DNA sequence: TTTAGGG
DNA sequence: CCCTAAA
């Protein structure tokens, strides 16, 4: 239980990476939305963040090492929410972004492993029920002291009733911004580590054959299971001393790194509590989100999707990184209006064999960060199929920080062997092409990683390179072979995301074209990154947990929506899933799928008689043409009803009232109401006409 | 952001 | 419900 608790990053910190959908009508703050646009995430980010988090967790924990073990794969609670943070200093951000996310530097690999256990037992027909598989992380330290943490990257619902990141909340700590995991504090270490190495991600996936799953899945009971953590193991069980003990509490050091902003996407909508889905990553990833701000949508579509000429025809989309519109449901627009949830992770590259070190400043709790260079976390990936595993040398080290700093050996090394990503459900026609399969998988994966990757398909260990083959032709169509089906995540050299290519960063230029092959940059010292680091000498981040946590709490508000509304919202929360899922996943024609992902149509929510009544009443009072007022007056709590909706409804009501009852469809509206509609409509039309006609007559009179 | 209208 | 031009 302790494990569970400690691993429960839930809504507090890690957030699921940007999703390829942008919610519409989300009424988030502009600032938030803006952030959304810039969000990028890559495995690197996550790795680093997780590492930071783990360390942080460990330090906060009285029993740092008790994380070892295996956790229930379905423990959806252990969710790594993608941390969102953004650098307010453009230049710095740029550098950072470029440095870590450079396309060429990316080399993570995701291996999909067929795992049969998770979903099937409890919900054989509901594969999604197990959507969350563990993403465990191993933290291994050179110093014997180690700890391991496990978390789950999952898009499944958080236990606490959060929908993952439906909304964005920027949390500021005073004037300083916080970065969870203190990405910016990471620095590369020398010897053997300064070369970015592969960070390996393992995705356990199960290929579920045909038949769309029933999306109406109850919360996965398995979430409650307290299975031991699967992968987490540590090299040593030695307990690591809490870093904070060794870290000088310098009051001058801000709790949150300067210039670092930590934003967490979260649902700030009305308290609908449970608009979360147990759906798999894929579902989330592919489900379109809506955003209230159309500009965003436009921006997304045009700026990223449409503009992307580099997109390879086989679908190695670059787009993914772009608009990962989150799939999470917004509370405000209960389950139908989803908000953009882009990772605020700047899109960074995954490095092949990525080794990075992070300054310890980012991981100490209480927001106390150390000056750069004092310590670091080194992330290094290994080939072994473990989970994120790492050791914490620095933390455990009793060496004084000062000496460490000077000697430079005060490092925490995190070795991330693999990440497990929630189970992905993929449904794809037998005659679909391998390329489309790749794209489908990619879309799901991209949702997690933030893009910049392409997916490779392995069949019985061999790469299937021909994207034009059908699955049948490739031999992927048969169940028995599915066991041997694997997917890999590869850097996608073909295209660097627009944001990345724009290089104002000298480092980047120095390194070469961002679109260049990995080899060019990977081996080199991550200059961009370094640059970013340099640019931000101030202590960075820290209380990754604190900020979000508090934020979360503060944001939660009691339900104020009418029960009716809530009920419908909740009950419908799950409705869209199946469609979306199917739609998003059965991507054969790329364009089509993309479109569907992008512009997700809101779920249809017929007006109830009660709503109609309220509408009629309001209109009778306010008249037509004042839809905003009508909205405020009668539907203020119905977040999913926009004034446009009300206007539309009125329009249809008028129409309905004019047609014969036989022609009417849907829930019958009492004739009495319809009569009122007609009379009100007539009245206000007349009023409107009067107002319009009045002036002219007056003028004519004058003229005459 | 709202309104108004066509789709 | 969506999309948009206009205001």
């Amino acid at each position: 239980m302790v494990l569970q608790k400690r691993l429960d990053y839930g809504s507090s910190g890690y957030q699921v990476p940007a999703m390829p959908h942008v919610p519409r009508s989300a009424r988030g703050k502009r600032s938030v939305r803006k952030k959304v646009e810039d969000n990028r995430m890559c495995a690197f980010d996550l790795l680093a963040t997780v590492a930071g988090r783990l360390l942080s967790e460990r330090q906060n924990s009285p029993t740092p090492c008790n994380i070892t073990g295996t956790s229930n794969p379905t423990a959806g609670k252990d969710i790594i929410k993608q941390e969102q943070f953004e650098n307010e200093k453009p230049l710095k951000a740029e550098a950072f972004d470029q440095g870590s996310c450079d396309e060429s530097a990316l080399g993570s690999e995701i291996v999909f492993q067929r795992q049969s256990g998770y979903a099937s037992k409890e919900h054989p027909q509901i594969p999604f029920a197990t959507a969350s598989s563990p993403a465990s992380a191993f933290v291994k330290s050179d110093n014997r002291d180690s700890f391991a943490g496990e978390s789950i990257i999952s898009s499944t619902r958080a236990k606490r009733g959060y929908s993952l990141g439906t909304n964005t909340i920027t949390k500021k700590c005073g004037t300083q911004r916080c970065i969870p995991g203190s990405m910016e504090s990471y620095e590369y270490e020398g010897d053997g580590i300064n070369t970015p190495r592969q960070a390996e991600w393992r995705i356990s996936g199960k290929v579920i054959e045909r038949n769309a799953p029933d999306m109406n899945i109850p919360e996965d009971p398995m979430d409650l299971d307290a299975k031991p953590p699967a992968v987490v193991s540590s090299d040593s069980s030695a307990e690591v001393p809490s870093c904070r003990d060794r870290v000088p509490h310098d009051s001058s050091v801000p709790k949150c790194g300067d210039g670092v902003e930590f934003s967490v996407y979260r649902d700030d909508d009305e308290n609908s509590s449970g608009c979360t889905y147990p759906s798999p990553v894929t579902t989330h990833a592919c489900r379109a989100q809506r955003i209230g701000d159309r500009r965003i949508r436009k921006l997304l579509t045009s700026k990223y999707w449409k503009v992307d000429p580099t997109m390879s025809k086989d679908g190695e989309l670059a787009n993914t990184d772009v608009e990962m519109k989150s799939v999470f449901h917004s509370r405000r627009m209960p389950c139908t209006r989803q908000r953009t949830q882009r990772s605020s992770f700047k899109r960074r590259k995954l490095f092949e064999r990525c080794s990075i070190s992070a300054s310890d400043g980012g991981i100490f709790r209480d927001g106390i960060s150390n000056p750069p260079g004092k310590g670091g976390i080194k992330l290094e990936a290994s080939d072994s199929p473990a989970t994120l595993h790492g050791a914490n040398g620095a933390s455990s080290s009793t060496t004084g920080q000062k000496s460490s700093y000077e000697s430079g050996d005060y490092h925490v090394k995190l070795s991330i062997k693999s990440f497990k990503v929630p189970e992905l459900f993929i449904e794809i026609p037998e005659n679909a092409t391998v390329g489309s399969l790749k794209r489908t998988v990619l879309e799901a994966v991209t949702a997690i990683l933030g893009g910049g990757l392409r997916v490779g398909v392995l069949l019985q260990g061999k790469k299937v390179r021909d994207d034009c083959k059908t699955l049948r032709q490739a031999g992927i169509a048969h169940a028995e072979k599915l066991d041997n089906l694997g997917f890999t995540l590869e850097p996608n050299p073909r295209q660097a995301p627009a944001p990345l290519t724009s290089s104002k960063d000298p480092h980047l230029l120095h390194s070469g074209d961002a679109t260049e092959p990995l080899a060019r940059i990977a081996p080199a010292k991550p200059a961009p990154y370094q640059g970013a680091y340099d640019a931000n000498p101030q202590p960075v981040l820290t209380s990754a947990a604190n900020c979000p946590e508090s934020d979360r709490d503060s944001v939660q508000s009691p339900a104020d929506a009418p029960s009716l509304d809530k009920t419908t919202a909740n009950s419908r929360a799950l409705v869209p899933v199946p469609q979306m899922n199917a739609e998003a996943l059965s991507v054969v024609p790329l364009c089509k799928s993309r479109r569907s992902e992008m512009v997700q149509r809101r779920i249809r929510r017929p007006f109830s008689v009660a709503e109609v009544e309220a509408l009629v009443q309001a209109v009778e009072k306010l008249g037509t043409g004042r839809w905003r007022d009508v909205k405020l007056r009668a539907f203020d709590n119905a977040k999913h009803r926009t004034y446009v909706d009300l206007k539309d409804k009125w329009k249809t009501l008028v129409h309905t009232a004019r047609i014969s009852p036989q022609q009417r469809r849907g829930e019958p509206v009492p004739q009495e109401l319809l009569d009122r509609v007609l009379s009100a409509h007539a009245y206000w039309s007349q009023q409107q006409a009067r107002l319009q006609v009045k002036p002219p007559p007056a003028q004519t009179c004058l003229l005459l």
Side-chain angles (χ1 to χ4, degrees):
Chain A
M1 282 302 92
V2 173
L3 175 64
Q4 290 266 336
K5 185 161 195 253
R6 297 196 50 223
L7 292 178
D8 183 12
Y9 297 135
S11 42
S12 65
Y14 297 99
Q15 209 151 25
V16 173
M19 297 296 172
H21 304 285
V22 173
R24 187 185 174 189
S25 340
R27 310 247 169 222
K29 282 81 183 173
R30 292 191 181 211
S31 57
V32 170
R33 291 194 213 132
K34 187 165 191 300
K35 286 184 171 53
V36 171
E37 294 168 16
D38 292 333
N39 292 336
R40 284 273 175 336
M41 172 192 182
C42 67
F44 178 91
D45 297 316
L46 184 55
L47 293 179
T49 303
V50 170
R53 185 49 166 258
L54 289 172
L55 288 176
S56 174
E57 284 287 316
R58 184 182 70 74
Q59 310 212 336
N60 289 331
S61 169
T63 54
C65 293
N66 64 356
I67 306 182
T68 307
T70 303
S71 85
N72 179 1
T74 59
K77 291 174 277 193
D78 301 347
I79 293 174
I80 296 178
K81 281 194 171 181
Q82 178 178 341
E83 304 259 18
Q84 308 266 351
F85 54 88
E86 179 173 291
N87 198 323
E88 277 185 358
K89 298 174 184 176
L91 180 58
K92 192 174 80 179
E94 184 84 23
F96 185 55
D97 194 10
Q98 306 263 0
S100 48
C101 289
D102 190 317
E103 201 58 58
S104 50
L106 174 135
S108 293
E109 174 174 316
I110 288 184
V111 176
F112 285 80
Q113 299 173 321
R114 183 180 174 84
Q115 294 187 0
S116 42
Y118 297 164
S120 18
K121 283 195 174 180
E122 301 275 348
H123 309 283
Q125 78 292 12
I126 308 173
F128 281 24
T130 59
S132 57
S133 49
S136 11
F138 256 99
V139 183
K140 171 180 173 183
S141 87
D142 292 339
N143 291 7
R144 306 289 145 253
D145 292 335
S146 63
F147 73 92
E150 172 183 294
S151 28
I152 289 179
I153 300 172
S154 163
S155 52
T156 42
R157 70 182 77 183
K159 272 294 185 180
R160 297 182 188 178
Y162 283 88
S163 2
L164 289 185
T166 15
N167 208 344
T168 304
I169 290 177
T170 300
K171 181 77 176 184
K172 290 200 177 186
C173 301
T175 59
Q176 288 137 348
R177 296 179 295 172
C178 307
I179 287 184
S182 174
M183 292 300 299
E184 304 222 346
S185 63
Y186 285 78
E187 66 178 357
Y188 285 89
E189 229 179 39
D191 65 331
I193 312 169
N194 53 3
T195 298
R197 302 179 74 186
Q198 173 183 31
E200 178 178 293
W201 292 60
R202 278 213 177 198
I203 291 182
S204 18
K206 176 179 181 178
V207 178
I208 297 166
E209 300 161 60
R210 305 174 181 105
N211 296 333
D214 175 2
M215 298 310 296
N216 239 331
I217 308 162
E219 254 185 47
D220 185 2
M222 295 182 76
D223 280 355
L224 302 176
D225 291 350
K227 289 182 187 175
V231 203
V232 185
S233 72
S234 59
D235 286 353
S236 102
S237 56
E239 187 125 344
V240 180
S242 171
C243 286
R244 72 186 133 154
D245 294 339
R246 293 179 283 103
V247 177
H249 286 249
D250 183 345
S251 59
S252 68
V253 179
K255 276 201 171 187
C256 303
D258 282 333
V260 176
E261 184 168 52
F262 171 37
S263 63
V264 174
Y265 279 107
R266 167 188 314 162
D267 196 343
D268 67 354
D269 273 329
E270 69 185 65
N271 14 342
S272 67
S273 47
C275 275
T276 46
Y277 301 101
S279 48
V281 172
T282 316
T283 307
H284 283 286
C286 298
R287 205 177 306 149
Q289 292 244 322
R290 294 171 174 270
I291 198 168
D293 189 341
R294 287 169 190 183
R295 281 172 297 183
I296 290 196
R297 182 196 253 165
K298 280 184 185 174
L299 189 155
L300 295 177
T301 58
S302 59
K303 180 174 178 181
Y304 294 108
W305 298 77
K306 291 178 182 176
V307 170
D308 178 18
T310 61
M311 168 137 48
S312 57
K313 82 172 183 182
D314 63 356
E316 329 244 1
L317 348 145
N319 70 37
T320 41
D321 76 284
V322 178
E323 269 335 329
M324 302 308 291
K325 287 141 216 161
S326 148
V327 210
F328 305 112
H329 295 257
S330 141
R331 288 177 188 169
R332 170 169 293 180
M333 302 311 242
C335 307
T336 59
R337 299 231 163 179
Q338 299 157 336
R339 272 181 200 199
T340 295
Q341 180 192 39
R342 296 208 51 207
S343 153
S344 43
F345 278 101
K346 299 303 184 186
R347 184 186 172 172
R348 282 161 224 150
K349 302 290 170 161
L350 296 176
F351 294 95
E352 198 153 284
R353 303 274 172 203
C354 169
S355 295
I356 60 175
S357 68
S359 116
D360 54 12
I363 59 172
F364 292 109
R365 81 171 214 174
D366 292 337
I368 297 195
S369 48
N370 302 314
K374 276 201 175 179
I377 295 173
K378 179 167 63 186
L379 292 179
E380 88 186 326
S382 71
D383 290 336
S384 76
T387 5
L388 174 111
H389 120 225
N392 174 336
S395 311
S396 59
S397 162
T398 53
T399 310
Q401 187 170 3
K402 195 182 280 180
S403 63
S404 298
Y405 173 49
E406 291 172 353
S407 63
D409 60 357
Y410 186 72
H411 294 280
V412 176
K413 292 189 178 183
L414 303 179
S415 175
I416 298 177
K417 291 188 175 180
S418 74
F419 263 70
K420 284 190 179 177
V421 176
E423 184 174 55
L424 301 176
F425 171 79
I426 293 173
E427 179 184 15
I428 193 165
E430 218 177 68
N431 61 352
T433 62
V434 169
S436 65
L437 173 60
K438 288 179 180 179
R439 287 194 300 273
T440 301
V441 173
L442 176 63
E443 289 181 7
V445 172
T446 298
I448 299 169
L449 301 182
L453 300 177
R454 70 181 175 198
V455 171
V457 171
L458 295 174
L459 183 60
Q460 294 179 317
K462 291 175 64 179
K463 268 202 172 186
V464 181
R465 297 179 183 280
D466 188 350
D467 289 354
C468 296
K469 273 187 189 173
T470 64
L471 299 186
R472 189 200 304 268
Q473 290 171 331
I476 302 177
H478 304 293
E480 62 271 28
K481 293 196 176 180
L482 294 180
D483 286 320
N484 297 315
L485 185 61
F487 296 90
T488 59
L489 267 195
E490 309 161 344
N492 187 356
R494 291 200 201 182
Q495 91 117 58
L500 290 178
T501 49
S502 73
S503 51
K504 292 178 180 178
D505 179 18
H507 290 87
L508 179 66
L509 294 175
H510 178 68
S511 300
D513 187 342
T515 60
E516 282 188 55
L518 195 50
R520 279 280 302 265
I521 294 180
K525 190 164 184 174
Y529 201 90
Q530 191 71 51
Y533 185 76
D534 292 340
N536 182 26
Q538 298 111 323
V540 214
L541 142 57
T542 12
S543 50
N546 292 343
C547 295
E549 207 88 75
S550 60
D551 191 42
R552 171 192 65 204
D553 294 340
S554 64
V555 175
Q556 293 227 311
S557 57
D560 57 305
S563 60
L564 168 92
D565 197 77
K566 271 176 28 174
T567 305
T568 56
N570 287 334
S571 64
R572 287 171 184 172
L574 297 177
V575 175
V577 179
Q579 311 175 308
M580 293 186 183
N581 186 53
E583 188 177 41
L585 291 181
S586 54
V587 190
V588 178
L590 184 57
C591 313
K592 190 176 179 182
S593 74
R594 181 160 305 163
R595 158 119 185 133
S596 67
E597 295 169 2
M598 217 159 39
V599 276
Q600 172 73 48
R601 195 182 177 91
R602 281 194 303 157
I603 184 177
R604 184 171 173 274
R605 316 179 84 171
F607 277 69
S608 64
V609 172
E611 286 178 301
V612 170
E613 162 98 48
L615 175 60
V616 170
Q617 192 170 324
V619 172
E620 283 173 336
K621 191 117 186 173
L622 301 172
T624 56
R626 297 177 59 191
W627 301 111
R628 181 172 170 276
D629 293 333
V630 170
K631 154 76 176 170
L632 293 176
R633 180 190 179 88
F635 293 83
D636 201 22
N637 288 327
K639 304 304 182 189
H640 59 292
R641 303 294 191 198
T642 67
Y643 44 74
V644 173
D645 292 333
L646 301 180
K647 180 217 58 173
D648 287 344
K649 180 55 184 176
W650 183 260
K651 184 172 64 175
T652 60
L653 275 177
V654 171
H655 177 258
T656 300
R658 288 170 172 167
I659 62 177
S660 67
Q662 293 76 28
Q663 294 176 292
R664 298 170 191 163
R665 293 187 301 175
E667 187 179 10
V669 177
Q671 187 59 41
E672 175 261 338
L673 276 179
L674 293 177
D675 291 341
R676 288 169 63 189
V677 166
L678 284 182
S679 59
H681 185 261
Y683 173 79
W684 287 108
S685 295
Q686 188 181 0
Q687 292 296 313
Q688 210 162 33
R690 259 186 226 165
L691 290 175
Q692 288 181 345
V693 176
K694 258 188 183 177
Q699 299 218 339
T700 28
C701 289
L702 288 175
L703 292 175
L704 291 175

